[in-house]
């Protein structure tokens, strides 16, 4: 297969835009087809760990993002009721000295906006109202045609499916199959700090409790607090995977929790409820001239806060692979490099559900106590695990 001059990307999410920018910076013509009629992201926060920041820095976005971020002092796991610390890992300056990159909290809309601006500045073509339905390989021309719902087609050397967990590109490549409901739902919301009647710690905080957990952290220099409240459920009856949440039901589900949690929920005006879905590791990530990245390829529970970070790492490495050698070799190399890492992080994310939700009754609490003891007596054990995630540098 020939080399790559032009790439079409399905989906202008964080993964698709990161790929477009990385390719454009390599001199590849990038076209992004997005189904939405306007560009934007859901109103929620993202934890961006140093491994993601190393890529964003290499793409020239660090200084554009800096004015919008919040720098947490620690990553913590605390008891849902007493507030006792099971884990308290320093971030802030210590993250920079350990990983040579910061740990930031960003509003998804801010990261998305910075990516869009950078893509436009690099000459990426962003096509809206562009719902991709399927693709057609043209072996004779060494090309792939990307076909839209309205009949338009786009030719390219490679098609990247960055179209999220319900990816049409994945479906064509591997056959129809719904993602699996992971037995958890998440309420998400953002509260203006001016509405809060109390202060919360400037940390990335997981509140662990039986059958559920709550995540809270500041955004935009401390202007907002972001929350994610996760609850175990047997099923998800709604057709939609996201719907308006009932704020009273959310308050009820977390009633009796620590004052920082109940204080945030008391001030929250609205919330969205998400079904958390996943997939097992895919048998193949590419076929012919089509390739997957991000949630289209390896959706994960958000319990390591690494889904978007993995999409950003994928995007950078795929762009590097496509800039060297033939398409066939590039796609094999991309999958070889990325699959072990993303599969491992999918597993780590799943394992955290057990820890955060005190699964196993009294043993669940014992696991948190063991973590507390380990973080005091053998902090290097915890640090080594975190280093494997945050210390990774996709740009090397
Ligand atoms: C509650 C929660 C909290 C999270 N917190 C974090 C966190 O703190 N840190 C972190 O790193 N990750 C986090 N994640 C994970 C992260 O949100 C996702 O992994 C990430 O957004 C995936 O990006 P993506 O670009 O692959 O897909 P998406 O964000 O899903 O983007 C896909 C894009 O494709 C478009 N699209 C879909 N179908 C088509 C089509 N047929 N044609 C054209 N366009 C199409 C969509 O409109 C969308 O714009 C969290 C997730 C959840 C649910």
């Amino acid at each position: 297969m020939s080399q790559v001059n032009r790439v079409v990307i399905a989906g202008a999410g964080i993964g698709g835009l990161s790929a477009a920018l990385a390719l454009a910076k390599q001199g590849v013509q990038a076209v992004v087809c997005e189904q939405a009629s306007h560009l934007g992201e859901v109103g929620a926060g993202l934890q961006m760990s140093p491994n993601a920041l190393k890529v964003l820095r290499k793409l020239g976005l660090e200084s554009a993002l800096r004015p919008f971020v919040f720098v947490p002092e620690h990553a913590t796991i605390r008891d849902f009721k007493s507030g006792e610390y099971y884990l308290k890992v320093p971030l802030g300056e210590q993250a920079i000295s350990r990983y040579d990159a910061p740990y930031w909290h960003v509003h998804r809309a801010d990261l998305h906006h910075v990516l869009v601006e950078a893509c436009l500045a690099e000459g990426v073509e962003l096509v809206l109202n562009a719902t991709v339905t399927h693709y057609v390989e043209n072996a004779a021309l060494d090309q792939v045609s990307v076909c839209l719902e309205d009949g338009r087609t786009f030719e390219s050397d490679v098609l990247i499916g960055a179209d999220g967990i319900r990816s049409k590109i994945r479906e064509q490549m591997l056959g129809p199959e719904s993602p699996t409901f992971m037995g958890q739902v998440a309420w998400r919301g953002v509260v203006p700090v001016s509405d809060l009647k109390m202060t919360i710690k400037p940390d990335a905080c997981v509140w662990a409790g039986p059958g559920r957990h709550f995540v809270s952290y500041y955004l935009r220099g401390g202007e907002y607090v972001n929350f994610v409240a996760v609850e175990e459920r047997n099923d998800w009856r709604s057709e939609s995977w996201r719907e308006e949440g009932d704020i009273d039901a959310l308050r009820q589900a977390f009633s009796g929790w620590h004052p920082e949690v109940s204080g945030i929920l008391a001030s929250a005006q609205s919330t969205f409820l998400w079904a958390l879905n996943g997939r097992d590791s895919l048998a193949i990530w590419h076929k012919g001239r089509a390739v997957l990245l991000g949630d289209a390829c390896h959706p994960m529970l958000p319990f390591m806060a690494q889904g978007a970070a993995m999409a950003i790492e994928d995007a950078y490495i795929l762009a590097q692979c496509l800039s060297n050698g033939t398409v066939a070799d590039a796609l094999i190399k991309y999958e070889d490099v990325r699959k072990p890492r993303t599969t491992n992080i999918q597993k780590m994310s799943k394992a955290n559900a057990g820890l955060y939700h005190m699964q196993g009754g009294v043993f669940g609490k014992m696991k948190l106590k063991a973590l507390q003891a380990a973080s005091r007596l053998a902090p290097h054990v915890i640090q080594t695990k975190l280093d494997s995630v945050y210390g990774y540098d996709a740009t090397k």
Side-chain angles (χ1 to χ4, degrees), residues 306-329:
Q306 284 294 314
M310 289 303 107
I312 291 168
E313 287 184 5
D314 285 352
Y316 187 85
I317 288 180
L318 178 56
Q320 296 309 302
C321 293
L322 289 173
S323 311
N324 295 294
T326 65
V327 171
D329 288 346

Side-chain angles (χ1 to χ4, degrees), residues 11-16 33-35 46-48 108 130-132 162-164 168 188 228 276 294-295 302 305-309:
I14 287 162
C33 294
E34 167 57 46
Q35 65 182 2
L46 272 180
Q47 303 188 53
M48 282 282 96
R108 299 175 75 100
T131 302
V132 174
D163 48 345
K168 284 280 169 204
R188 296 165 112 178
V228 182
L276 297 183
D295 277 12
Q306 284 294 314

Side-chain angles (χ1 to χ4, degrees), residues 44-46 70 105-107 190 217-224 226:
L46 272 180
F70 182 83
H105 296 161
V106 292
H107 196 293
V190 175
Y217 54 84
Y218 285 108
L219 293 176
R220 275 203 198 138
E223 209 180 315
Y224 295 98
N226 181 77

Side-chain angles (χ1 to χ4, degrees), residues 9-17 33-36 40-41 45-49 52 103 108 112 130-133 148 162-169 186-188 217 228 230 241 274-276 293-302 304-312:
I9 298 161
I14 287 162
L17 292 175
C33 294
E34 167 57 46
Q35 65 182 2
E41 255 289 357
L46 272 180
Q47 303 188 53
M48 282 282 96
S49 47
Y103 194 111
R108 299 175 75 100
H112 198 263
T131 302
V132 174
T133 52
L148 305 191
D163 48 345
I165 191 160
R166 293 177 190 281
S167 168
K168 284 280 169 204
I169 309 304
W187 285 274
R188 296 165 112 178
Y217 54 84
V228 182
V230 176
W241 62 293
W274 303 67
L276 297 183
L293 66 68
D295 277 12
C297 191
H298 45 65
M300 55 186 72
L301 285 169
M304 287 288 294
Q306 284 294 314
M310 289 303 107
I312 291 168

